Amino acid sequence: MILTVISAWRSLLAVAGLSLTVEGLYYLIRYLKRFRERRPPQVLFFPAPVTCVRPLLLSSPGHCNCSRSHRESALSCLTRLLLSARRSLDVCVFTISSVELSSSVLAVHGRGVRVRVITDSDYMALAGSQVGAFRRAGIEVRHDQDANYMHHKFAVIDGLILITGSLNWSAQGIFGNKENVIIIKSTDVVKEFIEEFERLWNEYDPSNYSFSPKS
Amino acid sequence: MILTVISAWRSLLAVAGLSLTVEGLYYLIRYLKRFRERRPPQVLFFPAPVTCVRPLLLSSPGHCNCSRSHRESALSCLTRLLLSARRSLDVCVFTISSVELSSSVLAVHGRGVRVRVITDSDYMALAGSQVGAFRRAGIEVRHDQDANYMHHKFAVIDGLILITGSLNWSAQGIFGNKENVIIIKSTDVVKEFIEEFERLWNEYDPSNYSFSPKS
């Protein structure tokens, strides 16, 4: 009798143990999956050392003999990230005058990736702005049309990676100012920025522009 | 003999099952802990609707009869967050002229919380800057001393919560511009911003200021 009870108890324990194990493994796999997705954002601080990123922009591996340093920097990290776009590149920045970053955007566009740019109407007209070069290359650029600023400084790569922060995409921003950039892969956050981009892209549709007083 | 083998097998299974269960539970607890810490950052988009946050700033629960709306907004969220500081509030912003946000900083300081402010030397002198009010209240403010900008727009609350983004802490930033703010609790990211704050706090120590040409 006692032996039977012990035997039954052992069987019950084995079944319970195994089912809990399966459950544990399920959560472990889920944990690892979400943990990977939710790994902490990467942070870049500026000013970056003045480095040359020209070799990164060449269509085939090459090198540059200029006197600037060619080592890794916050700028080369940002350049590599932009150049990694394969399907889409949505740029939503207050100002874009950095030769390095605008060259990256143009290179991505040149590879046939869909590039869209939203910027600020006041700053796009300043000397050094690369908006003209973008338009000449066939990149669609849209902008606000009021006195307030389109002050975002973010980009979304392939709908998967968000670059955002305080950094204006200018030489002063990159090489002079104290700035930060955060690179986020969390789908929840990226989704919110994609929605913001689409909202502004529609709001700034040229058909809505009304610079001239309505008759 | 067979019964003994079955019995031994069952015991082995039970022990293996239980040990795996303990392991599974360990990972589950770890998962829940890190998952909570690594939950996706919260995002606020601006411009915020023009709301009144005065009731939040009162030392005891109160209300306000002004004509502005008192509902929740991106501004009230930001205000609540700043007011939640219990041990420390480190503010590192390009410009601070928003009455709502500077009142929150002053209220936190008034409760005896250690408040430190880093800002930009050019913009702290502009009309509307609240740096003078901070200093009169006894808050230590440090700033850069070169032609480039201290262009960060972040704050760290209690060494645990990071507020960062494109938002200048001004009325135009909050109520006019297209802006974003991200609230991050990931210890890795918060740590990097704390280090940047301490780096700048030391760099901008008044004993290092050299506005006058050296003799």
Side-chain angles (χ1 to χ4, degrees), chain A residues 90-160:
Chain A
D90 292 331
V91 178
C92 185
V93 291
F94 177 51
T95 177
I96 177 150
S97 56
S98 155
V99 175
E100 291 86 352
L101 299 185
S102 58
S103 298
S104 308
V105 172
L106 285 164
V108 168
H109 169 71
R111 283 205 316 262
V113 174
R114 189 193 184 196
V115 176
R116 295 183 292 175
V117 176
I118 294 175
T119 193
D120 181 74
S121 56
D122 299 293
Y123 274 69
M124 66 186 260
L126 294 191
S129 169
Q130 298 296 311
V131 166
F134 286 173
R135 285 185 163 153
R136 280 193 298 278
I139 295 174
E140 199 177 351
V141 181
R142 295 187 179 183
H143 55 81
D144 66 321
Q145 57 166 339
D146 58 43
N148 289 309
Y149 292 142
M150 200 314 292
H151 201 243
H152 286 304
K153 303 114 178 359
F154 75 84
V156 180
I157 297 162
D158 293 336
L160 295 170

Side-chain angles (χ1 to χ4, degrees), chain A residues 94 149-153, chain B residues 153 166-168 177-179:
Chain A
F94 177 51
Y149 292 142
M150 200 314 292
H151 201 243
H152 286 304
K153 303 114 178 359
Chain B
K153 303 113 176 4
S166 68
L167 181 77
N168 284 326
N177 295 349
K178 301 288 194 268
E179 305 270 12

